[in-house]
Amino acid sequence: MKNWLVEQLQRMNLSDVLVRPQGFTREGYTSEETEAIEVFKTIAEELGLEASEDAAGNAIARWNVSGGQAAVAMGSHLDTVPNGGAFDGGAGVVCGLGALKMLKEADFEPQRPIEVICFRSEESSRFGVSTIGSKAMSGLLDPSIGTLEDQHGVTLAQAAESQGFVWQELLNAKRPKEQLKCFVELHIEQGMHIVNHEKDYGVVKGVACPIRLAVTFNGKAGHTGTTPMDQRKDALAAAAPFISFVQETALQVNDAYGNGKSLVATVSTLTVSPNSMNVIPQTVTAGVDIRSVDDRLKMKMADAIRSEAKRIEETTGVAIDIEVLVDNPSVLLDDGIARQLVDAGDHEAYLAHRMDSGAGHDVMNMAQTWPSGLLFIPCKDGLSHHPDEFAAAEDLKMGVELLSRFLMEATANAGNS
Amino acid sequence: MKNWLVEQLQRMNLSDVLVRPQGFTREGYTSEETEAIEVFKTIAEELGLEASEDAAGNAIARWNVSGGQAAVAMGSHLDTVPNGGAFDGGAGVVCGLGALKMLKEADFEPQRPIEVICFRSEESSRFGVSTIGSKAMSGLLDPSIGTLEDQHGVTLAQAAESQGFVWQELLNAKRPKEQLKCFVELHIEQGMHIVNHEKDYGVVKGVACPIRLAVTFNGKAGHTGTTPMDQRKDALAAAAPFISFVQETALQVNDAYGNGKSLVATVSTLTVSPNSMNVIPQTVTAGVDIRSVDDRLKMKMADAIRSEAKRIEETTGVAIDIEVLVDNPSVLLDDGIARQLVDAGDHEAYLAHRMDSGAGHDVMNMAQTWPSGLLFIPCKDGLSHHPDEFAAAEDLKMGVELLSRFLMEATANAGNS
């Protein structure tokens, strides 16, 4: 099974290795993504599954059974960030296929259909919007985002059309609730919690979605040599305590709440204008990324940031504007599914770590309609979105065993969906 | 005289106004600068002066007298920063010409030659190096800077050659010490000290030259959503207290030393990498500009910055590199010339403010060889390097009267130079 998983993952990465110096660049709605998805469909057919594609370009590999029961679905994606790794997305796709292979080889007879879904365009790197395929399938797609452009001026609608899809028809990818019973995504952790807690895999309780702010400090330019210190409105000097505040407050919140309910907050971008050695900074814009599974904690942090901005504005005379770029509520996953994923580990003698996800995934959208779960396998050094991203074949195999066990339970009867 | 000054300054700015929304863009060693200098030579000839140009393209308007005595020289420049004003440089050139016009009209007979020098390429905006013409005349030009490029990839040597000069021959612009007796520059203040002290003009004691540092914070990138707060090496979070330190320490130093011995220090540039909303900042480079006429104070500040960087490095684990970009000792001007400039004001009933200059000027270079002085006239709101830069015709006329009075004293006898 380990060799089969590595080989199929290489095929879907259009490569004969899984780590290479420049990583993998396979962005959403490109011919590279389409090519990878074609390989996925080929492998599905080799396994005796029915391969199809919906109006958004999501590919579905289905183990059909007679009758109209709701299917148990798994899935992830095959697009990558630029110079990303072979496992972010791909691990979930290959483990889903591997689980069906294992069940077929064991002559297991599911009482309801099973699907592996390969979603389109999960990463936000190309158009600034993530999880487009799963948004379409869950009925969460806002068609107005078709006008978003990539860095070459190609719109999302044009990109989809370049791969054979009609933008307005993407809405048709929405699936009726009764078609699926539940959904499970397997993904690499992109962090170190599992290893740090000396566990084997992760079962996710909630997915933290960000509040993102653009905070602009409006100072006044002047000659660095001739403007006295006490007559300045230096936008960068005003931004500095703000940056420190975000860092220190996030640390304090985590100390106060402990590991169970954590929050991360980062000033991740900063642009200075005019950014010239002999001119006092006139304008600084800071991008703040706040995440927690607990939405109240995120909002409390955003409120604290607003108060601190007000304090800095009053003490420095530098006017501060705050724009909310993103404010998505976090997603709590289904407790019943999570219990089944933990039970699957008990059965296979793997230790589960119950945890939250700091990053977003396709399962966020699926969870709006169907009971959903998210299973993490470890990745080396917690590294992801990086050419060195890696997950051991041993851990991929564990993923297959966990999914198989979960599927055996979830498809054991054809009762009400 | 006022109308004449405004008219000639308009001519040299190749314009019929002195303030316009987009300002003036006339960078060093461009055809625009050459054209302005041609107008300067034309005006000089209209006044009956001898106009010539040296190997660096500095233009000299000379009121010759028989005999080989050392000349009394004045001067400034006609190049501007992009979208700069009509007065930074131009005020000194037009007032020099105006002073000769006034003396000629008064039938004054100088006992030694008088020159007005229009230096080439004073601003650092194009090639990152300032005062190229006066460096050449003072023998301070390092010919290796000919390879410096502007933002279009044109080298300084190519730019000089495009205006008819041979780079290696710029060194020939160096003048023997015995050719000049002394040098005086008139410039707009680019600050508010004169007005704040309720005086009419400024007489400069020393010119503050900067220490400039590039401080690089080497953190570690990671996913903003999945990397716990206490396991980060956030380069921007490490840079924030550094920025605050520079600001606060400069304020404290000024409080401690009072107005007499001041220091300014600015973190004026900052670049963040990768500057992406969902990635923890990996590398931050901050540009620090430190200025004081007191070189020990500057060095003390640079030392304090090094200690603070070490402290931050130890507490955050973010490695910090400090590169010294510029470390020029400050220039003290000639006391005797300064006294003569104050006396000139006494004679004309203008009040002089004795002060330092936070910005560099051509006089810094001339002062290395000849006794030199720097005279400031006020400019509106202290604004410079800005389209709204402005100096009143009344103040230009005051400059002419002060220079004339100075010249009458300085050229009254042909004694030892």
Side-chain angles (χ1 to χ4, degrees):
Chain A
M1 175 59 77
K2 281 200 287 190
N3 288 348
W4 185 88
L5 289 167
V6 168
E7 197 182 306
Q8 307 319 310
L9 191 52
Q10 286 171 350
R11 285 174 73 189
M12 289 190 286
N13 274 287
L14 315 173
S15 170
D16 53 8
V17 292
L18 290 177
V19 176
R20 55 189 192 191
Q22 77 280 26
F24 295 85
T25 299
R26 193 167 55 241
E27 294 199 272
Y29 291 114
T30 59
S31 54
E32 291 77 15
E33 186 194 33
T34 299
E35 204 182 329
I37 287 177
E38 287 304 317
V39 175
F40 164 79
K41 285 155 69 177
T42 302
I43 298 170
E45 285 164 358
E46 289 168 5
L47 290 173
L49 306 170
E50 291 172 10
S52 64
E53 204 162 75
D54 70 12
N58 300 309
I60 300 169
R62 183 172 167 105
W63 184 352
N64 218 353
V65 299
S66 56
Q69 306 94 327
V72 173
M74 303 171 286
S76 196
H77 61 97
L78 283 175
D79 64 311
T80 72
V81 297
N83 308 107
F87 299 86
D88 177 354
V93 174
V94 82
C95 288
L97 292 170
L100 296 201
K101 177 178 156 74
M102 180 175 271
L103 292 181
K104 277 183 175 271
E105 286 173 357
D107 294 324
F108 177 74
E109 287 185 10
Q111 299 304 305
R112 53 174 73 244
I114 307 177
E115 293 183 0
V116 181
I117 306 171
C118 180
F119 295 106
R120 279 271 175 179
S121 199
E122 191 268 349
E123 301 289 355
S124 62
S125 48
R126 185 172 180 193
F127 295 105
V129 168
S130 68
T131 63
I132 293 164
S134 55
K135 279 194 172 86
M137 189 176 285
S138 318
L140 299 170
L141 188 69
D142 172 359
S144 73
I145 66 170
T147 57
L148 292 174
E149 292 181 2
D150 70 8
Q151 60 172 336
H152 303 295
V154 177
T155 67
L156 174 49
Q158 287 167 344
E161 277 157 31
S162 80
Q163 299 309 305
F165 308 102
V166 179
W167 180 251
Q168 286 301 329
E169 292 180 8
L170 257 70
L171 298 175
N172 298 338
K174 180 180 177 181
R175 292 182 80 164
K177 184 169 166 44
E178 58 272 22
Q179 284 191 4
L180 300 182
K181 181 189 177 198
C182 61
F183 176 81
V184 169
E185 180 163 2
L186 177 147
H187 206 278
I188 57 170
E189 182 195 350
Q190 306 179 289
M192 293 293 286
H193 286 288
I194 299 170
V195 169
N196 289 345
H197 287 82
E198 300 183 340
K199 298 290 166 68
D200 298 310
Y201 71 108
V203 174
V204 174
K205 291 180 281 187
V207 180
C209 297
I211 291 180
R212 287 179 175 166
L213 309 174
V215 183
T216 302
F217 299 78
N218 303 288
K220 193 174 174 193
H223 196 298
T224 55
T226 59
T227 314
M229 294 307 298
D230 57 357
Q231 288 167 38
R232 297 179 171 207
K233 285 188 184 175
D234 182 328
L236 185 56
F242 177 85
I243 299 165
S244 297
F245 176 84
V246 171
Q247 163 92 350
E248 284 158 19
T249 308
L251 278 165
Q252 281 164 18
V253 167
N254 281 307
D255 279 351
Y257 285 80
N259 272 330
K261 279 212 171 170
S262 66
L263 171 139
V264 288
T266 315
V267 180
S268 48
T269 67
L270 200 86
T271 51
V272 178
S273 171
N275 216 31
S276 175
M277 188 56 110
N278 63 355
V279 183
I280 294 165
Q282 169 147 317
T283 313
V284 167
T285 300
V288 188
D289 182 275
I290 308 167
R291 305 198 195 204
S292 173
V293 173
D294 184 341
D295 288 326
R296 287 166 312 169
L297 217 54
K298 276 190 324 197
M299 279 185 272
K300 222 171 131 181
M301 182 70 189
D303 287 344
I305 282 174
R306 284 191 187 87
S307 303
E308 174 67 4
K310 207 173 168 59
R311 189 194 68 74
I312 292 174
E313 194 170 58
E314 281 163 5
T315 52
T316 63
V318 171
I320 303 176
D321 299 323
I322 299 185
E323 185 190 353
V324 178
L325 300 176
V326 171
D327 186 0
N328 290 334
S330 296
V331 176
L332 287 177
L333 299 177
D334 187 77
D335 265 345
I337 302 279
R339 251 196 318 274
Q340 288 174 268
L341 291 171
V342 172
D343 290 347
D346 285 345
H347 197 277
E348 304 287 340
Y350 293 119
L351 294 175
H353 175 54
R354 294 284 275 137
M355 62 183 291
D356 288 323
S357 172
H361 297 291
D362 286 309
V363 71
M364 298 184 305
N365 300 320
M366 299 300 279
Q368 307 298 319
T369 306
W370 298 282
S372 295
L374 176 57
L375 187 160
F376 280 157
I377 62 171
C379 61
K380 193 179 169 215
D381 299 332
L383 217 54
S384 182
H385 288 198
H386 192 284
D388 293 343
E389 178 183 288
F390 183 74
E394 195 63 52
D395 287 329
L396 293 173
K397 182 169 151 281
M398 170 182 68
V400 167
E401 292 165 5
L402 291 167
L403 288 177
S404 303
R405 176 56 53 186
F406 168 80
L407 290 171
M408 287 170 73
E409 301 298 328
T411 65
N413 65 70
N416 289 339
S417 56
Chain B
M1 175 60 76
K2 281 199 287 189
N3 287 347
W4 184 88
L5 289 167
V6 168
E7 197 181 308
Q8 307 320 309
L9 190 52
Q10 286 171 350
R11 285 174 72 189
M12 288 190 287
N13 274 288
L14 315 173
S15 170
D16 52 9
V17 292
L18 290 177
V19 176
R20 55 189 191 191
Q22 76 278 29
F24 295 86
T25 299
R26 193 166 55 240
E27 295 200 272
Y29 290 114
T30 59
S31 54
E32 291 78 15
E33 186 195 35
T34 300
E35 204 182 327
I37 287 176
E38 286 304 317
V39 175
F40 164 79
K41 285 155 69 177
T42 302
I43 299 171
E45 284 165 357
E46 289 168 6
L47 290 173
L49 306 170
E50 290 173 10
S52 65
E53 205 163 74
D54 69 12
N58 300 310
I60 301 168
R62 184 172 166 105
W63 185 352
N64 218 353
V65 300
S66 57
Q69 304 95 327
V72 173
M74 303 170 288
S76 195
H77 62 96
L78 283 175
D79 64 313
T80 73
V81 296
N83 308 108
F87 299 86
D88 177 353
V93 174
V94 81
C95 287
L97 292 171
L100 295 201
K101 177 179 157 72
M102 180 175 271
L103 291 182
K104 277 183 175 270
E105 286 172 356
D107 294 325
F108 177 74
E109 288 185 9
Q111 299 304 305
R112 55 175 71 244
I114 308 177
E115 293 182 0
V116 182
I117 306 172
C118 180
F119 294 106
R120 278 272 175 177
S121 200
E122 192 268 347
E123 301 289 356
S124 62
S125 48
R126 184 172 180 191
F127 295 104
V129 168
S130 68
T131 63
I132 294 165
S134 55
K135 279 193 172 86
M137 191 177 284
S138 317
L140 299 171
L141 188 71
D142 172 359
S144 73
I145 66 170
T147 58
L148 292 173
E149 292 182 1
D150 69 10
Q151 60 172 335
H152 304 294
V154 178
T155 67
L156 175 49
Q158 286 166 343
E161 276 158 30
S162 80
Q163 299 310 306
F165 309 102
V166 178
W167 179 252
Q168 286 301 327
E169 292 180 8
L170 256 70
L171 298 175
N172 297 339
K174 179 180 177 182
R175 292 181 79 165
K177 185 170 167 41
E178 58 272 21
Q179 284 190 4
L180 300 183
K181 182 188 177 200
C182 61
F183 176 81
V184 170
E185 180 163 2
L186 177 146
H187 205 278
I188 58 170
E189 184 195 350
Q190 305 177 290
M192 293 291 287
H193 286 288
I194 298 170
V195 169
N196 289 345
H197 286 82
E198 301 182 339
K199 298 290 165 68
D200 299 310
Y201 70 108
V203 174
V204 174
K205 291 180 281 188
V207 179
C209 298
I211 291 180
R212 288 179 174 165
L213 309 174
V215 182
T216 301
F217 298 78
N218 303 289
K220 191 173 175 192
H223 196 297
T224 55
T226 58
T227 314
M229 294 307 299
D230 58 357
Q231 290 166 38
R232 297 179 171 208
K233 285 188 183 174
D234 181 329
L236 185 56
F242 177 85
I243 299 165
S244 297
F245 176 86
V246 171
Q247 164 90 349
E248 284 158 18
T249 308
L251 278 165
Q252 282 163 16
V253 168
N254 281 306
D255 280 350
Y257 285 80
N259 273 329
K261 278 210 170 167
S262 67
L263 170 139
V264 287
T266 315
V267 180
S268 48
T269 68
L270 200 85
T271 52
V272 178
S273 171
N275 215 32
S276 175
M277 188 56 110
N278 63 356
V279 184
I280 295 165
Q282 170 147 318
T283 314
V284 168
T285 300
V288 188
D289 182 277
I290 309 167
R291 305 197 196 206
S292 173
V293 172
D294 184 338
D295 287 326
R296 286 167 312 170
L297 217 53
K298 277 191 322 199
M299 278 185 272
K300 223 171 132 180
M301 182 72 189
D303 287 344
I305 282 174
R306 284 191 186 88
S307 303
E308 174 67 4
K310 207 173 169 60
R311 189 194 67 75
I312 293 174
E313 194 169 58
E314 280 163 7
T315 52
T316 64
V318 170
I320 304 176
D321 299 322
I322 300 185
E323 185 191 352
V324 178
L325 301 175
V326 171
D327 185 0
N328 290 334
S330 296
V331 175
L332 287 177
L333 299 177
D334 187 78
D335 265 346
I337 301 277
R339 252 195 319 274
Q340 288 174 270
L341 291 170
V342 172
D343 289 348
D346 286 345
H347 197 276
E348 305 286 340
Y350 292 120
L351 293 176
H353 175 54
R354 295 283 276 135
M355 62 183 290
D356 288 324
S357 172
H361 296 290
D362 287 307
V363 70
M364 297 184 305
N365 300 319
M366 299 300 280
Q368 307 297 318
T369 305
W370 298 283
S372 294
L374 176 56
L375 186 160
F376 279 157
I377 63 171
C379 60
K380 193 179 169 214
D381 298 332
L383 216 56
S384 183
H385 288 197
H386 192 286
D388 294 344
E389 178 183 287
F390 183 74
E394 195 63 52
D395 286 328
L396 293 172
K397 183 170 151 280
M398 170 182 67
V400 167
E401 291 166 5
L402 291 166
L403 288 176
S404 302
R405 175 57 51 187
F406 169 79
L407 289 170
M408 286 170 73
E409 301 298 328
T411 65
N413 65 70
N416 287 340
S417 56

